[in-house]
Amino acid sequence: MNGRERFLASFDGKSVDRPPVWLMRQAGRYLSGYRAVRAQHGFWDVCHDPELSTKVALEPLARFPLDAAIVFSDILVIPQALGLDVTFGTGEGPKVGKPLRTRADLDGWNTSGLIERLKFLPNAVKHLAGALKGSHAMLGFAGAPFTLFAYSVEGGSSDDFMHARVMLHKEPKLAEAALATLADAAAELLAAQLDAGADAVQLFDTWGGLLSQDEYRRFALPALRRITNALRGRRVLLFVRSGHHLLPLLGDSGASGFSLDWRTPFAEARARYPNHVLQGNIDPVLLFAGDDVVRTRTRALLDEMKTSSNGYSRCVANLGHGILPGTPESSVESLCRTVVDAR
Ligand code: CP3
């Protein structure tokens, strides 16, 4: 069974002898090959060049026994294609120029021909698919509407995303309209990646955990449902960072599975969602604690994932958030090996 076969079998509810494994943010930052490419090329140049983005997406697959590749891109391609000015300064997170603060700002978003400006991403998927030839599962992705809204309103990263969260309450109609626009863009972009050969897609709701249950229900879920309704029947994973309190609501998102962060107990999520795919949820910080810690934690996760004496189903081994810059490659190897050797 190759990586793609294993990923699809587990995702679609068949029993496999070990879970498939991939790692969020596996293709960037911590890898020397990526840093060498970035020394020569700007971030957006890598995204827009199918040869370079494929090279970067393949690097972790050559280094570690992973079952899936994720296309190289960023969640902020959507605000950028809408006309916001997105830049990545060194070590300070993204900056979004022309942030959304008024109705006039939203009216200025350029939604016509949006998918044409994002064609580079399905093109990158197609190119990566050609290189993989079915050996590994291939994931596309997009930012979840609330997380894209948070960056677009705030103008960059933030601890509390004050402007974005104030807007939900002070100008709920404007917030809902922006969330709907972002959701429609994400739906179109994910459909294009699936049509280009992605086996599944993941929505990253990195900042969704800032919201209360009431806020998530009112603002985030309707936008997520716009996406899953448009993608009905296709494989969609939803990652909500710091989202333990939102777990009871996630079933209403329409996603086929959830990527759990390390603060959500796997067994609790499984009890609540017996028929969804569950992915996760090793704390990326543990990869700095040495190989023994990594192996022990990975084995404990495998025990939680095992559904019966005859194997694993609807689960994907992964981290609880993106792999951190500076992560020792030996830890990544230990994690993957422990999963691969599991029986
Ligand atoms: O394998 C991969 O995961 C690479 C593809 C990928 C990137 N960003 C490339 C990237 C993916 C899946 C993302 C998702 C992403 N981007 C998220 C959701 C996941 C998460 O970590 O919560 C978020 C919140 C972003 C926004 C973003 N983009 C930030 C905060 C930053 C700066 C800090 C950083 O490195 O994460 C980026 C820039 C970015 N996106 C880089 C990479 C490799 C670093 C840019 C560089 O090389 O200079």
Side-chain angles (χ1 to χ4, degrees):
M1 206 177 222
N2 71 25
R4 179 168 185 268
E5 290 161 347
R6 182 181 299 281
F7 183 93
L8 293 181
S10 179
F11 204 106
D12 295 342
K14 301 186 182 91
S15 183
V16 282
D17 56 357
R18 63 149 179 99
V21 58
W22 71 281
L23 305 178
M24 288 193 270
R25 310 295 302 264
Q26 68 188 25
R29 308 192 291 186
Y30 70 109
L31 288 173
S32 55
Y34 174 73
R35 289 196 303 270
V37 169
R38 281 284 284 108
Q40 306 264 349
H41 306 275
F43 180 78
W44 296 115
D45 297 335
V46 181
C47 295
H48 284 256
D49 181 328
E51 302 280 339
L52 281 178
S53 72
T54 295
K55 182 180 164 161
V56 167
L58 292 177
E59 189 188 359
L61 307 191
R63 289 279 295 102
F64 311 112
L66 294 156
D67 295 306
I70 182 162
V71 67
F72 190 79
S73 172
D74 194 76
I75 63 164
L76 297 176
V77 296
I78 287 177
Q80 189 189 50
L82 288 166
L84 302 182
D85 182 21
V86 180
T87 50
F88 301 112
T90 34
E92 36 168 345
K95 291 266 174 289
V96 181
K98 296 195 275 170
L100 170 74
R101 297 292 163 82
T102 64
R103 174 60 67 167
D105 293 333
L106 180 61
D107 292 342
W109 282 9
N110 183 9
T111 52
S112 78
L114 186 79
I115 200 69
E116 288 308 311
R117 290 192 291 287
L118 292 167
K119 265 276 165 333
F120 67 89
L121 185 39
N123 285 345
V125 169
K126 212 170 276 170
H127 201 270
L128 179 57
L132 291 173
K133 298 192 192 72
S135 62
H136 295 70
M138 194 177 30
L139 293 145
F141 71 97
F146 176 72
T147 287
L148 297 179
F149 172 84
Y151 282 113
S152 302
V153 175
E154 209 66 28
S157 210
S158 159
D159 291 336
D160 52 14
F161 285 89
M162 270 278 284
H163 289 96
R165 287 161 63 216
V166 166
M167 188 185 285
L168 297 181
H169 294 274
K170 228 176 151 183
E171 298 199 65
K173 293 277 171 266
L174 176 58
E176 280 165 350
L179 284 159
T181 300
L182 292 164
D184 292 348
E188 213 178 347
L189 184 58
L190 293 175
Q193 293 176 72
L194 288 159
D195 292 344
D199 295 303
V201 290
Q202 178 155 319
L203 282 159
F204 284 95
D205 208 353
T206 304
W207 298 105
L210 287 173
L211 301 182
S212 69
Q213 289 192 348
D214 284 347
E215 290 167 328
Y216 205 80
R217 194 179 288 112
R218 162 129 193 232
F219 295 103
L221 280 179
L224 287 167
R225 270 199 304 271
R226 276 177 98 93
I227 299 174
T228 53
N229 284 340
L231 300 177
R232 196 167 286 284
R234 307 183 92 168
R235 298 185 191 91
V236 181
L237 287 164
L238 169 64
F239 169 66
V240 185
R241 188 165 68 104
S242 307
H244 183 207
H245 63 296
L246 302 173
L247 190 63
L249 281 63
L250 297 188
D252 289 336
S253 67
S256 11
F258 311 118
S259 192
L260 310 172
D261 98 349
W262 64 96
R263 289 157 288 198
T264 299
F266 189 89
E268 183 187 330
R270 179 52 84 208
R272 189 175 283 280
Y273 295 112
N275 298 315
H276 281 74
V277 177
L278 295 178
Q279 174 177 275
N281 65 343
I282 297 169
D283 185 347
V285 163
L286 296 189
L287 273 63
F288 291 83
D291 289 343
D292 284 348
V293 170
V294 172
R295 276 192 285 265
T296 304
R297 172 67 184 105
T298 306
R299 276 195 214 103
L301 175 67
L302 291 167
D303 287 344
E304 289 181 298
M305 285 182 163
K306 197 157 191 169
T307 34
S308 67
S309 55
N310 64 3
Y312 301 82
S313 185
R314 296 198 201 277
C315 57
V316 179
N318 205 316
L319 299 173
H321 189 211
I323 190 164
L324 294 160
T327 297
E329 296 193 8
S330 64
S331 292
V332 181
E333 176 71 23
S334 295
L335 190 164
C336 296
R337 268 294 148 221
T338 305
V339 178
V340 168
D341 293 341
R343 285 295 183 268

